Amino acid sequence: MALMIVESCTACDACEPVCPNDAISAGNPIYVIDPMKCTECVGAEDEPQCKLVCPANCIEQNPDWVEDKDDLLAKYQQLHG
Ligand code: SF4
Ligand code: SF4
């Protein structure tokens, strides 16, 4: 699954630079994750880097994007082909 940012985001900007897929951007008022680009960090890291650094604990699974590990890896390879 892609991840998503929920409303308790404080727009602190900690997550944006750590995403290996450039999937995170500033929104109005909260930051947003592009589900076409988020691989839960599969392909690049052992765990989601944005969740590791988020002080507000506001990054969750996106229920509209059900993908298994193979799907996420394929997405990563497509992005970084
Ligand atoms: Fe980016 Fe990884 Fe967070 Fe997805 S889980 S938005 S790929 S840092
Ligand atoms: Fe929002 Fe968390 Fe990203 Fe900060 S690290 S901008 S609180 S999602």
Side-chain angles (χ1 to χ4, degrees), residues 20-59:
N21 298 339
D22 288 330
I24 304 174
S25 56
N28 183 20
I30 64 172
Y31 274 49
V32 291
I33 292 174
D34 180 349
M36 302 282 287
K37 292 185 175 177
C38 176
T39 63
E40 289 193 52
C41 286
V42 169
E45 305 283 350
D46 289 339
E47 57 186 310
Q49 299 298 294
C50 55
K51 279 176 74 90
L52 276 182
V53 301
C54 177
N57 200 20
C58 63
I59 304 177

